[in-house]
């Protein structure tokens, strides 16, 4: 199998690509964010392209390792008839960048274009609020060999886009998937709007094409639609070639040149791409790649980690931030940024753990209290009575009490039932109000039971 992708994602701007209409099309009443320009009414001419959109496209191209075109860039008209395209053509630029790479997949080119409106055939209406919103299109080479590879690539790409701060992420993503089997003709599956959808469409299409080839049927070069409700693809039309779109330079828009000073300024100000940051964390801090990938899943979380490790051992910090911090964030259905947890709070908590002022169990309970809480963990620990790790004599006393009060669990332990030990440790933790160290408790309990 060979697979290439064409990914469209909206750029993060307040106004459209060629006019000043707002881009909050999801919140606005249908056909309210429109003007003669984005409706392409006769005599209406486009404004010069939105600078923020162009800079965002350059930034994303750079983060994907692309070479920014030193040549003059211009917009073309791509002609096709569809109800949501009032002009009969879509404005799309020639490549802004090319020769990039991500996850071993070559980036053929990156360019910018305008979004069409939204045709709603079930309602028989077209909403033009979306018409003219700037899109970035990322075109890959057919380097992916399985649905799993395509899914991994898309996940990494979404991370890069989120890091850039210039794109609206997976929620606005639409991907066209090109797939061929054994060097045969390719099918293009249009307008898939999620990573899961792209994965399922590729799975179905790979099996469909293999079954046709087994029966000696030639694969047609065609465009297909993905029916997400049924997880299948269905034919739409024979595949178009570039000449079918009758591309011409747009006479209403001036040519553009990305000057070196402008490119270098964007390069200096852009964040380190997520995939490069992951590799650096592994190399620089000695943490494993799984931990690094989770920590770099959000730019704010990655930045917090780099602040925390100025005071805390990186491997210890990575373990707690990957497991407990992410667990709490995930449970609360929020991002790290939304949680409002600060690096200072994380350092305070981890220092208490390092200095054995609290147990790991207490640390987990304190972590659960941190989202949207400006108190320091040391304050929370005092309020909850969690400070202080009890000494060995108190733990031994609690162990003897737990053994005396739970003879059935002791019998189960001698019979080789593993859960009995966990139960007895839990009783000791209860008796010490969670202040006994679980690891030490296990050793002392085991020793006591063997005497």
């Amino acid at each position: 199998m060979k697979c290439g992708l064409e990914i469209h994602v909206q750029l993060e701007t307040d106004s459209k690509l060629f006019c000043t209409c707002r881009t909050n099309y999801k919140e606005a009443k249908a056909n309210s964010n429109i003007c003669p320009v984005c409706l392409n009414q006769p005599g209406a001419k486009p404004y010069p392209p939105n600078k923020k959109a162009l800079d965002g496209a350059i930034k994303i191209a750079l983060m994907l390792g692309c070479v920014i075109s030193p040549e003059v860039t211009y917009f073309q008209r791509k002609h096709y008839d569809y109800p949501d395209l009032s002009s009969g053509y879509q404005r799309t630029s020639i490549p802004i960048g090319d020769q990039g790479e991500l996850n071993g997949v070559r980036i053929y080119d990156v360019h910018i274009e305008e979004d069409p409106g939204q045709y709603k055939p079930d309602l028989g209406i077209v909403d033009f609020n979306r018409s003219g919103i700037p899109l970035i299109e990322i075109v890959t080479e057919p380097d992916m060999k399985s649905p799993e590879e395509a899914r991994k690539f898309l996940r990494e790409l979404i991370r890069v886009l989120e890091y850039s701060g210039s794109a609206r992420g997976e929620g606005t993503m639409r991907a066209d998937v090109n797939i061929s089997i054994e060097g045969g003709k390719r099918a293009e599956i249009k307008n898939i709007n999620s990573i899961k959808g792209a994965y399922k469409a590729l799975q179905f299409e790979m099996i469909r094409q293999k079954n046709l080839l087994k029966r000696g049927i030639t694969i047609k070069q065609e465009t297909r639609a993905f029916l997400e409700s049924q997880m299948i693809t269905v034919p739409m039309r024979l595949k178009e070639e570039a000449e079918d779109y009758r591309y011409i330079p747009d006479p209403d828009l001036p040519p553009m040149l990305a000057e070196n000073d402008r490119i270098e300024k964007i390069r200096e100000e852009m964040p380190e791409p997520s995939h490069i940051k992951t590799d650096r964390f592994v190399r620089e801090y000695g943490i494993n790649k799984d931990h690094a990938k989770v920590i770099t899943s959000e730019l704010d979380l990655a930045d917090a980690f780099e602040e925390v490790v100025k005071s805390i051992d990186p491997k210890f910090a990575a373990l707690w931030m990957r497991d407990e911090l992410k667990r709490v964030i995930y449970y609360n259905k929020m991002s790290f940024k939304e949680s409002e947890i600060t690096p200072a709070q994380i350092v305070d908590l981890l220092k208490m753990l390092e200095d054995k002022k609290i147990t790991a169990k207490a640390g987990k309970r304190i972590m659960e209290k941190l989202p949207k809480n400006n108190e320091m963990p040391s304050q929370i620990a005092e309020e909850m009575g969690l400070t202080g790790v009890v000494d060995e004599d108190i733990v031994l006393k609690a162990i003897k009490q737990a053994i005396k009060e739970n003879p059935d669990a002791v019998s189960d332990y001698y019979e080789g039932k593993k859960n009995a030990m966990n139960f007895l440790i839990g009783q000791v933790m209860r008796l010490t109000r969670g202040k006994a160290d679980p690891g030490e408790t296990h050793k002392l309990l085991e020793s006591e039971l063997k005497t």
Side-chain angles (χ1 to χ4, degrees):
M1 168 187 149
K2 289 172 68 176
C3 168
L5 301 170
E6 299 169 22
I7 304 105
H8 304 77
V9 180
Q10 289 178 357
L11 290 164
E12 186 65 70
T13 61
D14 293 327
S15 57
K16 295 183 181 181
L17 189 53
F18 301 115
C19 68
T20 57
C21 290
R22 304 282 293 172
T23 57
N24 60 334
Y25 67 99
K26 290 182 179 179
E27 304 159 14
K29 183 181 175 182
N31 292 310
S32 60
N33 286 1
I34 55 174
C35 71
V37 173
C38 55
L39 285 180
N40 287 288
Q41 292 181 351
K45 298 294 184 183
Y47 297 10
N50 186 318
K51 184 179 183 297
K52 185 178 179 182
L54 295 174
D55 285 351
I58 292 171
K59 183 198 294 185
I60 292 167
L62 288 171
M63 292 180 74
L64 292 171
C66 291
V67 176
I68 304 303
S69 174
E71 306 298 328
V72 168
T73 301
Y74 56 89
F75 280 90
Q76 303 179 96
R77 292 179 177 181
K78 177 182 178 182
H79 294 82
Y80 60 95
D81 292 317
Y82 209 65
D84 58 14
L85 203 62
S86 57
S87 61
Y89 60 82
Q90 182 182 29
R91 293 186 178 94
T92 179
S93 76
I94 64 171
I96 288 172
D98 58 14
Q99 303 173 59
E101 185 271 336
L102 178 66
N103 263 23
V105 176
R106 292 170 295 161
I107 307 297
Y108 176 75
D109 81 51
V110 173
H111 58 270
I112 190 170
E113 60 188 34
E114 61 180 344
D115 214 347
Q118 291 175 290
Y119 175 42
K120 301 175 181 179
D122 53 330
L123 301 175
I125 63 169
V126 180
D127 180 3
F128 285 101
N129 280 347
R130 199 178 71 183
S131 178
I133 288 179
L135 292 176
I136 189 169
E137 180 172 4
I138 299 156
V139 182
T140 79
E141 296 282 6
D143 291 342
M144 287 151 278
K145 303 295 190 294
S146 69
E148 289 76 17
E149 282 187 33
R151 179 165 61 181
K152 285 179 182 176
F153 172 83
L154 284 169
R155 283 176 175 166
E156 194 62 59
L157 176 63
I158 292 298
R159 293 208 316 162
V160 172
L161 295 173
E162 287 173 347
Y163 263 53
S164 75
S166 295
R168 295 185 172 183
E170 188 182 357
T172 68
M173 185 189 85
R174 298 194 297 280
D176 298 341
V177 176
N178 292 284
I179 173 175
S180 63
I181 302 291
E182 298 175 4
K185 291 183 178 178
R186 63 189 170 96
E188 181 181 36
I189 309 160
K190 298 288 284 187
N191 291 333
I192 302 168
N193 59 17
S194 68
I195 294 173
K196 179 185 175 183
Y199 176 72
K200 292 293 185 182
L202 281 169
Q203 277 190 320
F204 175 85
E205 190 62 19
M206 182 174 66
I207 293 168
R208 184 189 74 85
Q209 291 192 24
K210 282 182 176 179
N211 287 339
L212 288 176
L213 290 171
K214 281 179 186 176
R215 289 153 52 196
I217 300 172
T218 302
I219 305 293
K220 294 178 184 177
Q221 183 159 321
E222 62 180 346
T223 298
R224 300 179 68 83
F226 176 58
L227 305 183
E228 194 153 4
S229 59
Q230 301 174 52
M231 295 295 176
I232 63 172
T233 69
V234 294
M236 289 173 65
R237 57 183 179 269
L238 293 178
K239 180 76 181 81
E240 302 96 336
E241 300 295 346
E243 55 267 22
D244 295 325
Y245 290 118
R246 306 185 312 282
Y247 284 98
I248 61 167
D250 194 304
D252 294 328
L253 289 165
M256 303 167 292
L257 182 64
E259 298 167 336
N260 285 333
D261 289 350
R262 181 179 175 188
I263 295 169
E264 290 310 311
K265 187 172 186 295
I266 293 171
R267 195 193 301 275
E268 287 171 13
E269 293 175 352
M270 75 184 192
E272 181 182 31
S274 54
H275 54 295
I276 295 173
K277 192 182 288 289
T278 298
D279 292 339
R280 179 171 66 79
F281 277 18
V282 172
R283 186 177 62 255
E284 189 172 321
Y285 299 116
I287 64 177
N288 71 48
K289 191 155 189 176
D290 284 343
H291 286 186
K293 286 199 83 168
V294 172
I295 290 166
T296 58
S297 61
E298 295 179 53
L299 180 57
D300 291 285
L301 181 59
D303 288 344
F305 175 78
E306 297 218 77
E307 280 298 310
V308 169
V309 298
K310 292 175 182 177
S311 309
I312 302 292
D313 174 71
K315 290 181 181 177
F316 185 59
L319 184 65
W320 272 81
M321 292 180 76
R322 177 200 184 275
D323 292 343
E324 294 308 317
L325 179 57
K326 283 294 283 187
R327 172 182 68 84
V328 169
I329 291 168
Y330 182 79
Y331 177 81
N332 285 282
K333 297 179 180 176
M334 58 177 62
S335 66
F336 175 73
K337 185 176 183 179
E338 289 168 340
S339 77
E340 299 176 12
I341 297 172
T342 66
Q345 287 176 309
I346 300 169
V347 168
D348 189 44
L349 175 59
L350 298 185
K351 274 194 176 295
M352 286 195 293
L353 287 161
E354 281 186 332
D355 297 340
K356 298 194 180 299
K357 291 181 178 178
I358 57 171
T359 64
K361 184 176 181 180
K364 292 175 184 179
R365 289 178 65 190
I366 294 167
M367 186 73 84
E368 290 166 2
K369 299 289 184 182
L370 290 183
K372 296 189 180 295
N373 185 348
N374 58 13
E375 282 190 297
M376 294 302 285
S378 49
Q379 293 173 270
I380 297 170
E382 288 288 345
E383 291 166 7
M384 296 178 70
L386 297 173
T387 54
V389 178
V390 295
D391 61 32
E392 191 172 304
D393 288 343
I394 295 173
V395 175
L396 278 170
K397 185 179 177 182
I399 285 172
K400 288 175 181 178
Q401 185 178 341
I403 290 172
K404 183 179 178 181
E405 292 176 354
N406 298 280
D408 291 343
V410 174
S411 296
D412 288 345
Y413 170 78
Y414 288 128
E415 290 173 12
K417 296 179 180 178
K418 294 180 181 178
N419 286 340
M421 175 60 81
N422 293 334
F423 174 79
L424 290 168
I425 290 172
Q427 293 305 301
V428 175
M429 297 302 289
R430 178 182 62 80
L431 291 167
T432 60
R433 296 179 63 200
K435 294 183 179 182
D437 180 87
E440 286 300 312
T441 300
H442 187 282
K443 289 178 188 176
L444 292 169
L445 182 57
E446 201 166 48
S447 175
E448 187 70 23
L449 288 166
K450 286 179 180 176
T451 58

